Amino acid sequence: MAEGNRPAADRRSVGTDATAPPDDGNPSDSGKKPQLIATIALDQQAASKGVDTGPVQVTVPGPSRKDVLVVPVAALLALREGGYAVQVVNGTTTSLVGVQTGMFADGNVEITGTGLQAGQKVVTTS
């Protein structure tokens, strides 16, 4: 059966091996990220009429959490004995509070730890 005649469900796949983007010699392309091959099928084929090629951006939904304490990853301090802490600001002093990390996303990390409260200020690197 020809590729174009396969049922839509047979034409959907996502590769598992990311490859480096092609090097076309353009210096402005240095920020390109690795690529994955994704094959899709449109539910409404008429929506693609007249489109031969074009850029595509895909958003893959991931897990999310609500009502958690979040700090910038730069606020995490690696402890010699293992694990992490954050340096909490208490007026004019600071103290280290051991934390357990949760989900990381967009330069932030979910944390839990004894004595932590929403709104506390933490020290981060600059």
Side-chain angles (χ1 to χ4, degrees):
M1 181 181 287
E3 179 69 22
N5 296 330
R6 287 189 187 168
D10 292 345
R11 294 189 312 242
R12 297 177 187 169
S13 65
V14 176
T16 57
D17 295 319
T19 59
D23 182 9
D24 59 8
N26 185 346
S28 66
D29 290 346
S30 63
K32 284 187 175 178
K33 297 181 180 178
Q35 301 173 347
L36 277 176
I37 300 296
T39 303
I40 64 167
L42 299 174
D43 290 335
Q44 297 177 346
Q45 294 293 321
S48 67
K49 185 175 180 170
V51 176
D52 291 327
T53 64
V56 176
Q57 180 176 356
V58 177
T59 301
V60 179
S64 63
R65 304 240 207 289
K66 292 184 179 191
D67 300 322
V68 297
L69 296 175
V70 176
V71 297
V73 172
L76 291 178
L77 299 170
L79 300 175
R80 182 179 314 157
E81 59 272 16
Y84 295 96
V86 292
Q87 192 173 6
V88 176
V89 177
N90 302 309
T92 59
T93 64
T94 62
S95 60
L96 291 181
V97 176
V99 297
Q100 293 77 45
T101 59
M103 191 169 88
F104 287 75
D106 296 325
N108 295 305
V109 59
E110 170 188 358
I111 60 169
T112 56
T114 304
L116 291 175
Q117 298 175 6
Q120 284 179 310
K121 293 183 180 180
V122 296
V123 176
T124 65
T125 60
S126 52

